[in-house]
Amino acid sequence: MSNYSLHRFLLMTLDPLHIGTGGYRLGRVDLSIVREPGTNLPKIPGTSLSGAIRQYAAMRYGKMGCAGQKGCGQASCPICYSFGSAKESGGGYAGTVNLFDARLLLFPVHTLAGPAWVTNPSALADFGCAGHMVNDQNKAKWSDSLTNQTRLNLGWLMLEREDGHWQPPVLQNVSEEVQNRIVLVSDKLFSQIVNSNLEVRTSVSIDPKTGAAAEGMLFTYEALPRATFLWFDVVEDDYRKAFPQTDPTAQNLKHTQPLDVLKAGLDLTEYLGIGGMGTRGFGRVKSWEVNHAQP
């Protein structure tokens, strides 16, 4: 019997979300967000998720010294057992939960028929909803519950409706109101629509001496908008089979496996957020575990 199991989580952004690339870039904004190299689609790196979730799990356990990569390194520590521990002098051990990048599933876009959530065949297939296709790459599909018009604007882009009835997929933990407003576009158009409708904000640094805007410190940055849906996988690989259930906090929280520790930290992202600009109203995400096919 294998020691590992696959778990899938759905995320919805409650605020704009900025996961920066770590420096300034030439382009329409100064501070861009992380993207997949092949598709140019925004994502949340697994490292960003793991770092935030580990910190919040450490908060739940009252062990902030274990929020970093080194941790305490004790075998009796549920945080280090779950997320791993690295020692300066060598040694340490790998964690027992592996987090992967969060990828786009539904992206909110303004239309004349009200808000819509755009997706594409590849995103649905990767999530487990195969069989949804657009035959004409320059057209789109939507249900009559959104609009019965033959044309629909997705931001600045006006698309024709592809002939034939299309029923949006049933997505677990996604409200019926959102599902009825899903628009299916081709893989070709999806990246263009997403990158043209990211939230872009302008900020300025304040000079502490004058309390006014500092000269030459105006900058712009982009973010995933509120109500974006993403998903990511977690593999629990408890190769050690020795989770410290006797830890008092673990007993109090009824944690019996590493995945419980991860979920405890993930729950706090709804209040404390992930990514940058957290003090400026960015970063909160809500999460649900969804069904998936076991490997």
Side-chain angles (χ1 to χ4, degrees):
M1 182 177 179
S2 63
N3 297 327
Y4 67 90
S5 59
L6 175 66
H7 304 266
R8 181 159 294 172
F9 292 86
L10 181 69
L11 300 177
M12 183 185 75
T13 58
L14 301 178
D15 301 313
L17 180 65
H18 175 86
I19 307 292
T21 57
Y24 283 84
R25 296 290 187 274
L26 293 176
R28 69 185 186 120
V29 295
D30 298 315
L31 300 176
S32 58
I33 57 178
V34 177
R35 288 175 167 81
E36 292 278 3
T39 62
N40 202 37
L41 289 171
K43 68 176 181 178
I44 306 176
T47 51
S48 298
L49 286 170
S50 180
I53 292 172
R54 177 173 184 151
Q55 178 183 353
Y56 300 150
M59 290 174 59
R60 293 290 301 272
Y61 273 80
K63 301 185 66 173
M64 290 306 296
C66 295
Q69 185 179 8
K70 297 177 184 178
C72 66
Q74 300 297 318
S76 59
C77 174
I79 304 299
C80 293
Y81 184 92
S82 301
F83 294 97
S85 174
K87 297 180 180 179
E88 292 182 355
S89 58
Y93 47 82
T96 50
V97 287
N98 307 317
L99 287 83
F100 298 90
D101 293 350
R103 302 161 61 188
L104 279 178
L105 179 62
L106 302 173
F107 184 82
V109 176
H110 166 74
T111 76
L112 294 177
W117 279 261
V118 182
T119 188
N120 67 326
S122 293
L124 291 177
D126 290 344
F127 187 66
C129 300
H132 297 273
M133 298 298 296
V134 179
N135 297 319
D136 189 330
Q137 293 192 9
N138 296 313
K139 293 185 178 181
K141 290 183 177 181
W142 60 85
S143 65
D144 288 339
S145 56
L146 175 59
T147 178
N148 57 9
Q149 299 296 314
T150 59
R151 290 175 178 268
L152 181 69
N153 73 298
L154 299 174
W156 59 270
L157 184 64
M158 182 70 74
L159 294 178
E160 292 185 13
R161 188 178 190 178
E162 189 167 275
D163 294 335
H165 175 74
W166 180 68
Q167 183 63 35
V170 177
L171 302 174
Q172 185 182 354
N173 293 109
V174 176
S175 69
E176 184 177 352
E177 184 178 59
V178 170
Q179 294 189 63
N180 289 336
R181 305 184 72 84
I182 292 177
V183 178
L184 181 69
V185 301
S186 65
D187 296 348
K188 167 189 171 183
L189 291 179
F190 187 59
S191 178
Q192 298 179 39
I193 293 171
V194 169
N195 286 296
S196 297
N197 291 278
L198 292 171
E199 182 164 346
V200 177
R201 293 195 185 184
T202 302
S203 292
V204 65
S205 297
I206 302 299
D207 188 333
K209 296 180 180 179
T210 63
E215 184 178 355
M217 293 301 292
L218 187 73
F219 62 96
T220 57
Y221 50 96
E222 60 187 3
L224 285 169
R226 183 178 288 109
T228 299
F229 287 85
L230 308 99
W231 64 275
F232 72 100
D233 284 334
V234 172
V235 172
E236 182 188 51
D237 180 15
D238 193 2
Y239 63 94
R240 301 172 67 190
K241 294 185 178 181
F243 181 79
Q245 299 184 36
T246 57
D247 180 87
T249 306
Q251 290 182 337
N252 184 49
L253 296 174
K254 298 181 180 179
H255 290 174
T256 60
Q257 61 188 57
L259 188 68
D260 294 333
V261 179
L262 179 141
K263 289 180 178 179
L266 183 59
D267 288 344
L268 288 184
T269 61
E270 184 176 352
Y271 308 98
L272 302 177
I274 60 177
M277 311 293 177
T279 58
R280 303 185 185 189
F282 279 45
R284 292 183 304 157
V285 296
K286 188 175 178 62
S287 62
W288 303 269
E289 186 173 3
V290 296
N291 295 332
H292 62 280
Q294 284 283 356

